[in-house]
Amino acid sequence: MQQLHTPHVVVVMGVAGTGKTTIGPLLAARLGVPYAEGDDFHPPANIAKMTAGTPLTDEDRWPWLDAIGGWAHGRAGLGGVVSSSALKRSYRDRLRAAAPGVVFVHLTGSRELIEDRMSHRQGHFMPTALLDSQFATLQPLQPDEAGVAVDVSGTPEEITARAADALKDLPEPVR
């Protein structure tokens, strides 16, 4: 019997300003799967804290991560792309607990490049003042975590192409 290969459920992760909201939908379109914006899973209290320049605590993040994990679980075997900073290993572990087959695309880049991009964003609640706390919190993917790191230099299309190519090297999920 032939095994059916299905698309990955991909979490596009990284610090604020790396382009998760830009690359996520482009990657989803390239893979032919739905995209979910991770910021939409935040409760209003989290948005208010970040808008005020206050970093979230782990306690603030758990319900948000659980909501993202629930969406990812529902897409298992079907594929999907969702954005989430997923900065700490414990956050990624929580996502994997809800959706064991998720893989991560870690968008990476220099602080200078990311700060420059953040300073040109319009209408986003995350101020550049929180960028240092994001980098301080970041725990990059470890060798035992399913995922790839993708540099964010270049155009969104170039970044998306690098991400899609890197995902091809991961074992395909089998249903």
Side-chain angles (χ1 to χ4, degrees):
M1 182 173 155
Q2 184 179 9
Q3 293 181 327
L4 297 174
H5 293 284
T6 56
H8 290 287
V9 177
V10 178
V11 177
V12 178
M13 62 168 283
V15 300
T18 53
K20 296 181 294 290
T21 299
T22 300
I23 303 306
L26 292 173
L27 183 59
R30 188 171 183 132
L31 299 175
V33 297
Y35 171 72
E37 170 55 52
D39 287 340
D40 293 344
F41 293 91
H42 273 298
N46 284 7
I47 300 289
K49 278 183 94 167
M50 289 184 285
T51 300
T54 305
L56 298 179
T57 65
D58 286 353
E59 290 71 32
D60 294 326
R61 287 187 178 93
W62 298 140
W64 172 64
L65 291 166
D66 291 343
I68 292 171
W71 183 89
H73 177 78
R75 297 300 310 166
L78 303 170
V81 176
V82 62
S83 58
S84 169
S85 53
L87 297 177
K88 288 185 180 179
R89 170 74 184 244
S90 62
Y91 304 164
R92 297 187 298 271
D93 288 345
R94 191 155 182 132
L95 291 171
R96 278 190 293 270
V102 298
V103 298
F104 295 88
V105 170
H106 180 188
L107 299 178
T108 64
S110 72
R111 189 195 183 291
E112 295 75 24
L113 173 65
I114 294 166
E115 183 175 28
D116 180 63
R117 288 185 178 174
M118 284 182 78
S119 69
H120 292 96
R121 290 197 302 193
Q122 299 292 320
H124 196 277
F125 60 81
M126 178 68 83
T128 57
L130 289 182
L131 189 55
D132 287 334
S133 73
Q134 293 263 301
F135 273 105
T137 302
L138 177 64
Q139 297 171 344
L141 288 174
Q142 298 302 301
D144 66 327
E145 294 184 272
V148 295
V150 176
D151 181 74
V152 296
S153 60
T155 67
E157 293 75 20
E158 291 168 338
I159 299 163
T160 302
R162 283 196 297 272
D165 287 345
L167 286 170
K168 289 178 188 172
D169 293 336
L170 294 178
E172 288 194 41
V174 179
R175 187 149 66 136

